[in-house]
Amino acid sequence: FSINRGKQRFADVGCVHCHTPTLRTPANTTVTALANKDVNLYSDVALHAMGPGLADDILQGNARGHESRTPPLWGLGKRIFFLHDGRTTDLIEAIRAHKSDGNRTFGPSEANKVIDNFNGLSEGSKQDLLNFLRSL
């Protein structure tokens, strides 16, 4: 039950705005077997401004130094390190690192409100959300 409650908290706080639970593969693909399939990767695969806290000043493709492409969360329960650069082994720390006020170089993180919502959860609801993430 905890995992199901955590999945609901994941949606309630707004994580799903970037970590979209399911995307559909395109109809027009070179591998017919992969056309029009639902993929539960928990990502919108889009670039998001994450503020100076997660900025790495690396320009990669269209991504500026404060932007990150939402990584898929599938397999998260098997990971040892979190965030794009593996800077932490603590899942709560990784979640909270998404909150970042702007500075002279970069604007604030798009995830600030979501992290405020997460921080406002009861300890039990936070644990449910963590249990859900570890089940992916």
Side-chain angles (χ1 to χ4, degrees):
F1 295 120
S2 175
I3 290 170
N4 289 334
R5 287 190 307 265
K7 183 176 184 178
Q8 186 59 53
R9 296 297 83 74
F10 186 81
D12 292 345
V13 301
C15 300
V16 296
H17 296 304
C18 298
H19 292 283
T20 307
T22 304
L23 292 180
R24 192 155 195 64
T25 61
N28 183 14
T29 181
T30 57
V31 181
T32 306
L34 298 178
N36 289 314
K37 303 291 183 195
D38 287 337
V39 183
N40 301 320
L41 52 115
Y42 287 88
S43 173
D44 63 4
V45 237
L47 287 176
H48 294 279
M50 299 309 299
L54 288 179
D56 57 16
D57 284 330
I58 296 172
L59 305 179
Q60 186 174 27
N62 292 330
R64 311 288 32 111
H66 67 294
E67 295 175 315
S68 294
R69 191 166 304 280
T70 308
L73 295 182
W74 61 3
L76 182 94
K78 300 202 182 307
R79 294 183 200 158
I80 298 171
F81 300 101
F82 303 110
L83 297 172
H84 70 287
D85 55 3
R87 71 176 71 176
T88 184
T89 58
D90 183 311
L91 194 48
I92 294 257
E93 185 179 321
I95 291 167
R96 289 190 171 138
H98 285 67
K99 182 175 172 80
S100 181
D101 293 329
N103 62 20
R104 290 183 176 173
T105 308
F106 303 117
S109 171
E110 291 178 30
N112 284 346
K113 177 65 175 147
V114 174
I115 303 311
D116 288 343
N117 293 341
F118 172 79
N119 288 333
L121 292 174
S122 69
E123 291 307 308
S125 289
K126 286 177 191 167
Q127 187 60 57
D128 290 340
L129 196 151
L130 293 174
N131 291 344
F132 164 68
L133 290 173
R134 290 183 180 119
S135 77
L136 296 177

